Amino acid sequence: PNPGTRTVTYRVGGHQVSYELLATLKQARHRTGVDFAYLVAQAGQESGFKADAQAKTSSARGLFQFIESTWLETLRDHGAKHGLAAQAQQIATGSDGRAGVMDADARRDILSLRDDPRIAAIMAAEYARSNQQLLSRELGIDLKKTDLYLGHFLGAGGAGKFLAALKDNPAQSAAAPLAEAGDPHRG
């Protein structure tokens, strides 16, 4: 920034957020169709709008706190359409069904992309859209923003189990289906 140039910030949920970051989230919305308010809420919830946030208890990192395995899968599946074809091609699916990168330097570089707000926002939007499509198809319902958060936090499979259990018995406590769904953030 030039001396004398002021960075414009907005107050969002108790956080000062730069105009540039909000513009980045809006661009991800335009490129993917995922709700802007959802992306803003996710970035605030997951990292307090800090692009280089690092979880203490898992591999979760970046604006949207992607764990390594979810980041690799999302970038593999959606990176090419957002100018990251070279990185996406380096991510292979192993015999165990997990995404991985053979070259250690390439893996480090690909994982470091979680700290780039533009890339993280696009991948978070793609991840949300994939989860929304999968869960809507499996459960036969329109998902709300809260349901999308469950997809982000639990993965599509865990969110599907949780939402199906609540659909079968809406009066039950959320604790049992949540425990059954599991927590993929321990990666």
Side-chain angles (χ1 to χ4, degrees):
N2 295 331
T5 303
R6 201 168 68 108
T7 301
V8 177
T9 61
Y10 297 90
R11 197 114 178 105
V12 179
H15 301 279
Q16 288 292 108
V17 184
S18 72
Y19 169 82
E20 289 81 10
L21 181 56
L22 291 174
T24 296
L25 297 175
K26 192 166 273 194
Q27 181 182 24
R29 181 261 180 264
H30 286 297
R31 292 182 72 182
T32 64
V34 170
D35 185 62
F36 172 70
Y38 168 80
L39 293 171
V40 170
Q42 279 299 105
Q45 175 73 30
E46 292 293 331
S47 68
F49 300 100
K50 293 180 184 135
D52 62 350
Q54 173 68 55
K56 292 180 183 4
T57 59
S58 75
S59 67
R61 183 163 182 87
L63 191 61
F64 292 91
Q65 291 295 284
F66 275 99
I67 61 171
E68 290 179 4
S69 59
T70 303
W71 180 257
L72 293 174
E73 291 167 5
T74 304
L75 193 64
R76 176 196 63 205
D77 296 346
H78 303 286
K81 65 183 151 188
H82 297 289
L84 300 165
Q87 292 85 349
Q89 289 172 354
Q90 294 181 60
I91 303 169
T93 304
S95 59
D96 61 357
R98 297 184 62 148
V101 180
M102 296 299 288
D103 181 85
D105 291 336
R107 178 182 169 78
R108 184 186 66 248
D109 291 345
I110 289 168
L111 290 172
S112 74
L113 295 174
R114 294 178 292 174
D115 291 347
D116 182 320
R118 183 186 62 80
I119 296 171
I122 290 287
M123 291 301 115
E126 289 289 4
Y127 184 65
R129 187 169 64 169
S130 292
N131 284 339
Q132 181 179 29
Q133 291 169 345
L134 179 67
L135 291 170
S136 291
R137 192 171 46 250
E138 281 183 7
L139 300 172
I141 60 172
D142 287 330
L143 297 180
K144 296 173 181 42
K145 288 178 195 165
T146 305
D147 302 330
L148 285 179
Y149 178 74
L150 287 171
H152 180 83
F153 185 71
L154 297 173
K161 288 178 191 174
F162 179 83
L163 293 170
L166 286 182
K167 186 177 174 185
D168 290 344
N169 183 2
Q172 73 177 307
S173 162
L178 190 57
E180 186 179 315
D183 179 1
H185 278 77
R186 299 189 200 286

